[in-house]
Amino acid sequence: MDCGGVLWFLLLLATGFGVFAGAERPAVVNIGAVLTYDSVIGRVAKAAIEAAVADVNANASVLGGTRLNLVMRDANCSVFLGSAAALSVLEHDAIALIGPQSSAIAHMISSISGGLQIPLISFAATDPTLSSSQFPFFVRTTHCDSYQMAAMADLIEYFGWRQVIAIYVDDDYGRNGIYYLDDELAENMSKMYKIALPVKATRNKLIDLLQKSKTLGPRVYVVHATPDAGLNIFSVAEQLHMMTDGYVWLATDWLSTVLDTSQTVASNSISYLQGVVSFRQYIPRSNQKEAFVSRWGELQKEGLVSLNLSTYGFFAYDTVWATAHAINDFLNEYENITFSSNSNLQSIKGKMRLGMLKTFDGGHLLIKKLLLLNFTGLSGQIQFDGDKNLISRMYEIVNVRGSVTNRVGYWSNHSGLSISLPENLLINRPKNLSFTQVLGRITWPGGKTETPRGWVVASNERPLRIAVPNRASYLEFVRVTNGGDMENVSGYCIDVFKEIMKLIPYEVPYKFVPIGNGQTNPNYDELVNMVVQHVVDAAIGDIAIVTSRSRNSDFTQPYICTGLVILAPIRSIKSSAWVFLRPFTVGMWCVTGAFFFVVGVVIWLLEHRVNSDFRGPPTRQCITMFLFSFSTPFQSQQEEILSTLGRFVMMVWLFLLMVITSSYTASLTSFLTVQKLSSPIKGIDSLIASNEPIGYQEGSFARSYLVDGLNVQPSRLVSLGSPEAYKEALERGPENGGVAAIVDELPYVELFVAKTSGFGIIGQSFTRNGWGFAFPRDSPLAIDMSTAMLKLSENGELQRIHKKWFCNTSCIVQSGINSEPDQLHFNSFWGLFLVCGVATVASLILFFLRSIWQFIRFNRKHREPASTCELPNRGCTQVIFRFFDFIDKKEEAIKNAFKQRNTSLPESS
C-alpha cells in the first residue's frame, strides 16, 4: 500500500473513532431541583429526591450506565429567590428541573424553563392554570386542584349545603383553586363567599376577617391555604368560638399533609382541629411503598430525616424516577445532549450575567418522552392525559376525631364519593349523592354526628332585618305605628309572617325595619331592590311576585292569589220594553223567521190535498198557513197533520223549536237577572282602546305592567294614593279631571268595593300572580318559609287569619260586573237549521215526485183516443196549469176518479 492509501485509511479510521465517540452516552446528566427547604413539604421532598437519585444511580439498568447529578437550590418560599435559584441551577446545564412546591414560584420558573426549553416537573404545584398551553414545558406529577375542587363540590352537594365561605391565600395557588371550586358549585346552583387572606396575614387580620364572616350567614367554611396560614386560621376560629356546634370546616389536602408529616404540629394543633374534614391524596398499597416506608423509618432512626413521610414525599420520589425514565428514552433516540447559545441572552449579557444560560436542543423530545411514560411508582400509576395531568386520581376523605384522623370515604373523578375503595378507578358510575349513604360517620365541630344545617340566618347580636312597607292606605294589610317596633307593626301580612315563623324548626331572631314615611305608599320595586343590595335581609308585606322582581331575588310560595283587575263606576240598567229581543242576534231572528215561513208553506203544500183544514178560499188558506207555523212554539195550533211527510217535517221542526226556545229562555233570564249593573267599560281591551285616563295605586307594579306589557301611554296613567282618592277620581270621571277606571290588585279592590257602593270589578283578573315575601337569591330561609307556608295553608290557619282581618262582619264578596251575557248567534244553531232544512226539502221533493207520477197516470187514463195526437202539441204552460189544478184537487177525489175509470173500462168492453 502506498503512502497516499495509508493516509486515507488513517483519516477514515480517525473519523470513525470520532463518530463513535460522539455517539457514546454521557457519563453524567445534570438535573436540578428547586425547593423550599424550611417547609413541611420541602423537608420531606428534599430527602425523598435525594433517596430517589441514589436509587436510580445504584440501578444500572435505568440509565444504562449514565448517572444523575442533582443540583439543588433553596427557593426560600419567595418568587424572586426561587427564580434566582432556578437560574443558578440552569447554569449547570441541567436538562430537567424538579419542583418547586409553590404554584406562585412555579409560574415564574415555568416561563424561564420554557424559554430555555427545559422541562419543569413539579410534584406539588397544584394550580390548575399551570396546565395551560402557556407553559408547554411544565408537567405535574401530583393531582391538580381542579380535581380536588370537584371532590370538594361533590362533598358539599352530598350534605346539601347551598352556601359556603371559602378562605384562601391570595396567591396563584389559593386564588385559582378557589375559582375552580366556585365554577363547580355554580353547576349545582350553590353560592360561595370568598375571603382572601394576604400571603403573610397577621393574627389580627385573621381575627378581623373571620369576625366579619359571621355576618354572611353560611357556617360552612372551605380553607384552601398553606400549612402555616391554615393552622393559624383554625387557631383564630377556636378563639372566636367558631369550632363549635353549627359550624362546618372543610380543608383541602394541605391539612392532612401537615398532620401526617409532623407529629409535633399534629399534637399541638389537634385540640382546635376537632371535627374538621379534609382530603388526602390516595396512595395505593404496594410492596414498593411498604419498602420505602420502612426505609424512611430507618432514616428517621439515623437522624437523617426528622419528619414523617407524606404523600408529597412519594410524589417527589416518583418524579425523579419519571425524569430518569424519560432521559433514558431520550438518550436511546437522541444519543447525545447538546446545548445552543441563546442569541437573545447573548445580546444582554453585558447588562445581566445570563451568558452562561443555554437552550437545551432536545427539550421538545424530552418533554414528549415524559408525557409518554407509563409505569408504576410508589404513588401508583404514572401516566399523563392530554392536559399533562395524572390520569388516575383519588382522594381519601379524613375526619379529625380525637387524637387521630379517621378515613370516612373516598373520592375519584370517575366514581365520585364512596364509603369503600372503588375496585376500578377508571369505571364511570352514576353519582347519586342524595339517596345513597356513601360516606362513613363524621364527627363535626362540637362533637355531634348529626349533619349541621350549615348556615345561620341571624343571631341575637345581629337579628334578621325585615323590611315592612309603611303604607298610607289599605292599612288592613300592613300597619306601622309609633316607630315600627315589634308590637307596633300589625296587619294581615304581618300575622301571616308571624305564624310562619312559629313553624320554622329553628329560632330566627328578627326585627322590623319600616320603609316609607307613612304619608305615601313606598315603591315596592325599590323595596325588593333593598333586599337584593343587602340593605335589609328580607322584605314582607303585600309584595306582588312579578317577573322583574324575581330575577334577582327569591320569593316564598304565595300566601294569597292576586291579579290585576279593573275598578269602575257602575250603574243600574233601566228596564227596556225591547229586552225580549236581546237574546238573539239580528241574524238569528231573521233565519228563525224565515224558517217559520218556509215550514208553514211546506206544511200547507203537504196537507192541502189530504187535509180539509188546509182547504178553502185563498184568504182562509193563507191565514191558516201562517197561523199554523207561528203557533207551533206554543202548541196552540188547531189543525191536525194527516200526511206522513207532513208529520216527518213537523217532528224535525218541533225538535228545532224545542232547542231554540230553551236557549232563548235561558238567555233572556240572564239578561233580566244577571245584568242588573252596567259599565261602559267591558274589559281591559275596551279600557285601553278608549284612550281615557287610567288610575293605579301609588307604588304598585300596575304602572309598569300597563306601560311595558300593554303599551299604554304613560301620560294616560294617574297615580292615586288612597281609597278616598279612588272614589273621588272615579266619581269625577275623565271629563272632569278624573279617571275612567282604576287598575289595581284584586285584594285592594275587593276591600274598596266592600266599603264603597257604586263601584264594581269589571270582568275577571287579566294577570295571575300572588303575594310573597322577598329574600336574597339562594336564601335557605326562603325555602323553609315556603314549606311552612304550605303547612299553614293545609292546617287552615291561613284561612283563619284572612277571616280575622276581612270577615269580622261580613266577608268581602266580589261585586264584579261580568260582560253582558253573550247573545245567541246563528253559528250556534246552524247544524239544527241544516237538518231541518234538509228534511223539509226532501219531503217537498218526494211530494212533488209522487204528485207528478199521479198526474201522468191520471192524464193517460182520462184522455180520449181521438185526442191522443193532440197532447204533444199542447204548450208547456197549459200542462203546468193543468198540473197545479191537479194537485189543488183533494187526494180522495183523485182516487175516486181512478176507481171510476177502472170500473167503466170493463163495462164498455
Side-chain angles (χ1 to χ4, degrees), residues 99-110:
Q101 70 251 32
S102 168
S103 296
I105 301 176
H107 272 275
M108 179 60 73
I109 298 181
S110 292

Side-chain angles (χ1 to χ4, degrees), residues 544-566:
I545 305 173
V546 295
T547 303
S548 59
R549 297 172 183 172
S550 300
R551 289 193 182 102
N552 301 314
S553 61
D554 282 348
F555 279 87
T556 61
Q557 289 286 330
Y559 58 89
I560 186 173
C561 294
T562 69
L564 292 178
V565 295
I566 299 173

Side-chain angles (χ1 to χ4, degrees), residues 178 303 323 345 422 438 462 565 614 715 752 833 835 839 882 892:
I178 289 300
T323 304
L345 295 176
V438 293
R462 187 192 176 279
V565 295
F614 289 87
S715 58
F752 177 84
F833 281 109
V835 171
R882 289 192 61 191
E892 185 178 356

Side-chain angles (χ1 to χ4, degrees), residues 329-330 333-334 361-370:
D329 294 340
F330 168 81
E333 181 174 338
Y334 200 73
D361 296 331
H364 287 283
L365 180 59
L366 181 58
I367 195 71
K368 179 180 177 182
K369 296 299 182 182
L370 271 168

Side-chain angles (χ1 to χ4, degrees), residues 5 31 64 123 148 177 273 358 380 565 584 672 702 714 763 769 797 829 842 855 894 899:
I31 63 171
F123 58 88
Q148 182 173 202
L273 292 174
K358 299 176 183 178
V565 295
F584 286 170
L672 294 176
N769 48 30
E797 189 65 20
F829 302 96
F855 176 68
I894 299 299
K899 291 179 180 180

